[in-house]
């Protein structure tokens, strides 16, 4: 029977590293090599599922590092899953929830690998396990984050010319707000063909700078302001949002369903960024979307710069959502020099394509994988 055939036999977690095409800067971290953990779950039937645990430049965007992810998986999550079957991902998620507090990136990757192994066993795309796909493509933006205004203008124009991206996000908060305004102005003037512009401050501003620079952001036609204040400043976000003609997006502030409901109901923002590393599993990711909407927020398909494995996992859930108002930001597969899959996700006509085929729809490339293990 299915439960016996899909019993979890082995769980592996390897630390990998891939160079990025350029330095990526955020208010509180930066990196030119992306480290992540590849999780592999082998079932009794011999089928293997894969999952990706992302971090950004060490334990800085959130508290997890590749080292903590690997050891939490091997020491706590894998033992908790002994005797569990991939035919019951909800049971696997519940066991991991009891075995470890938070550690969402680790849990999310293991749950992804379990779902992938189940979908491959059933020979269906992963989206089928979330109710089926309502869309096969999702609009995808690109993030500018080198901090060098000329480079950013050239990069954005190139993405537009290739019809890969017409919506952009720019990372602010690592320089002074004045410098940020200069970079933004350069970008708006230098790339007139750009459609939407999102600014992500990654918790880097104060309430005073928000008030002071809101009029500039409005003049520059900014469409969305992501997490300008520290994640735990719900009251400040609510006050800024109440003044802002531009919608605010809640990112680092809300991981759990209760945090999402609180952020929405307090008016901290009118858009929520969905991320596997915040929800801690694909089941919870889908639920987060419904909680956010119920609390009055529109949905944005967020990422932590995952490659094709993590992006495909998010897409399987995003494809099944009734609404995804702001599209997604899964440009990660193009930010890294080489990927560890044979079939990286496709970008066409400003959209990211949902991969076809059973499970996640992507397959490991063993040669590239060996290089990425060596680099780590
Ligand atoms: C974040 O805070 O949104 C996603 C895209 C990007 O450039 O950084 C990440 C994390
Ligand atoms: Mg963000």
């Amino acid at each position: 029977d299915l439960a016996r055939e899909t019993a979890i036999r082995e769980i592996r977690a390897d630390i990998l590293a891939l160079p990025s095409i350029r330095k990526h800067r955020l208010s509180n971290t930066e990196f030119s090599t992306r480290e992540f953990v590849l999780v592999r779950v082998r079932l009794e039937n011999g089928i293997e599922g894969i999952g990706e645990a992302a971090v950004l430049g060490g334990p800085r965007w959130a508290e997890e590092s590749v080292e903590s992810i690997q050891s939490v998986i091997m020491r706590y999550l894998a033992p908790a899953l002994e005797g569990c079957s991939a035919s019951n991902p909800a049971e696997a998620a519940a066991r991991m929830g009891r075995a470890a507090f938070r550690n969402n990136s680790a849990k999310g990757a293991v749950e992804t690998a379990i779902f992938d192994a189940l979908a491959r066993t059933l020979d269906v795309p992963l989206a089928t396990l979330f109710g089926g796909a309502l869309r096969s493509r999702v609009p995808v933006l690109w993030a500018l984050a080198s901090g060098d205004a000329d480079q950013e203008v050239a990069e954005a124009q190139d993405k537009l010319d290739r019809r890969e991206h017409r919506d952009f996000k720019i990372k602010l908060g690592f320089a002074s707000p004045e410098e940020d305004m200069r970079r933004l102005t350069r970008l708006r003037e230098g790339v007139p063909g750009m459609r939407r512009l999102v600014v992500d401050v990654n918790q880097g501003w104060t309430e005073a700078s928000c008030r002071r620079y809101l009029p500039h952001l409005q003049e520059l036609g900014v469409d969305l302001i992501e997490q300008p204040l520290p994640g735990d400043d719900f009251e400040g976000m609510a006050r800024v949002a109440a003044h802002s003609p531009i919608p605010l997006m809640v990112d680092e502030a809300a991981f759990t369903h209760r945090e999402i409901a609180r952020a929405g109901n307090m008016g901290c923002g009118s858009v929520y960024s969905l991320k596997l590393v915040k929800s801690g599993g694909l089941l919870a990711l889908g639920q987060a979307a419904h909680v956010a909407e119920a609390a009055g927020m529109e949905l944005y398909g967020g990422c932590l710069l995952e490659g094709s494995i993590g992006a495909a996992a998010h897409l399987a859930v995003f494809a099944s959502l009734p609404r995804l108002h702001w599209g997604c930001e899964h440009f990660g597969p193009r930010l890294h020099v080489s990927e560890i899959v044979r079939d990286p996700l496709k970008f066409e006509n400003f959209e990211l394509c949902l991969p076809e085929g059973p499970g996640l729809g992507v397959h490991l490339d063993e040669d590239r994988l060996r290089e990425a293990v060596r680099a780590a």
Side-chain angles (χ1 to χ4, degrees):
D1 69 89
L2 185 65
R4 200 162 316 139
E5 188 198 329
T6 60
I8 295 169
R9 196 205 288 165
E10 192 198 346
I11 298 180
R12 277 188 61 174
D14 293 303
I15 295 176
L16 308 181
L18 286 178
S20 308
I21 56 170
R22 58 151 165 77
K23 188 188 280 183
H24 204 77
R25 300 180 72 183
L26 280 70
S27 74
N28 52 3
T29 181
E30 66 176 52
F31 62 92
S32 11
T33 298
R34 188 179 74 97
E35 292 185 303
F36 59 106
V37 176
L38 172 70
V39 175
R40 285 186 270 187
V41 171
R42 174 83 59 191
L43 307 184
E44 254 342 293
N45 62 12
I47 287 181
E48 182 179 81
I50 54 180
E52 175 179 346
V55 305
L56 274 196
R60 293 163 79 181
W61 190 91
E63 69 278 18
E64 292 176 278
S65 65
V66 284
E67 294 81 8
S68 78
I69 290 169
Q70 186 185 47
S71 55
V72 164
I73 292 174
M74 298 324 293
R75 171 79 173 77
Y76 301 100
L77 304 183
L81 292 170
E82 233 165 81
C84 191
S85 165
S87 62
N88 195 345
E91 161 83 13
R95 287 190 190 202
M96 288 193 283
R98 288 193 294 269
F101 175 66
R102 282 176 67 111
N103 286 281
N104 295 321
S105 190
K107 289 175 187 166
V110 175
E111 200 216 68
T112 298
I114 290 172
F115 261 117
D116 182 38
L118 174 62
R120 287 184 207 255
T121 298
L122 298 172
D123 200 23
V124 295
L126 185 50
T128 302
L129 301 185
F130 292 95
L134 291 167
R135 54 184 78 78
S136 59
R137 287 153 176 267
V138 177
V140 57
L141 64 67
W142 177 266
L144 303 158
S146 72
D148 169 346
D150 292 332
Q151 187 282 336
E152 288 170 348
V153 166
E155 189 174 285
Q157 191 58 53
D158 179 61
K159 297 295 173 193
L160 262 176
D161 293 345
R162 291 170 185 274
R163 299 183 65 77
E164 286 177 9
H165 306 273
R166 61 181 159 197
D167 300 323
F168 295 88
K169 159 161 160 175
I170 186 165
K171 292 298 204 172
L172 303 184
F174 48 82
S176 66
E178 293 78 16
E179 183 54 39
D180 282 346
M181 294 307 129
R182 275 194 289 277
R183 241 171 98 221
L184 263 177
T185 310
R186 261 299 274 127
L187 186 66
R188 265 309 199 201
E189 285 170 358
V191 193
M194 155 181 318
R195 200 174 65 162
R196 271 185 194 149
L197 180 57
V198 179
V199 302
D200 190 355
V201 195
N202 284 108
Q203 319 181 64
W205 282 0
T206 60
E207 201 174 329
S209 13
C210 289
R211 291 202 186 215
R212 177 137 178 237
Y213 292 100
L214 266 174
H216 296 256
L217 297 179
Q218 203 188 354
E219 253 167 57
L220 291 167
V222 167
D223 294 280
L224 192 58
I225 307 172
E226 181 172 349
Q227 196 68 55
L229 296 185
D232 58 1
D233 190 2
F234 279 62
E235 291 78 6
M237 282 281 280
R239 284 189 296 265
V240 171
H243 274 89
S244 176
I246 306 170
L248 255 55
M249 176 149 71
V250 173
D251 190 13
E252 288 94 326
F255 280 47
T256 67
H257 295 343
R258 199 167 284 121
E259 285 162 353
I260 297 168
R262 194 150 70 88
N265 292 324
M266 279 182 66
C268 297
S270 35
V271 183
Y272 179 68
S273 176
L274 296 162
K275 288 183 182 173
L276 183 58
V277 297
K278 293 195 290 179
S279 291
L282 295 173
L283 285 169
L285 182 67
Q287 292 155 1
H290 300 297
V291 174
E293 271 202 280
M297 294 189 278
E298 292 185 344
L299 303 174
Y300 172 102
C303 78
L304 207 69
L305 303 179
E306 290 86 351
S308 286
I309 298 168
H314 281 86
L315 269 189
V317 173
F318 293 165
S320 73
L321 298 177
R323 287 160 297 280
L324 186 61
H325 313 78
W326 291 81
C328 81
E329 61 175 15
H330 278 273
F331 60 91
R334 291 290 175 89
L335 190 68
H336 314 301
V337 171
S338 116
E339 278 232 64
I340 55 163
V341 294
R342 299 198 300 266
D343 35 16
L345 298 196
K346 289 201 194 81
F347 293 74
E348 265 173 26
N349 216 18
F350 311 115
E351 293 178 316
L352 179 59
C353 307
L354 183 70
E356 286 165 12
L360 289 169
V362 295
H363 303 87
L364 290 175
D365 177 327
E366 295 297 339
D367 293 335
R368 289 182 172 179
L369 185 56
R370 267 189 294 276
E371 279 166 39
V373 174
R374 251 200 315 274

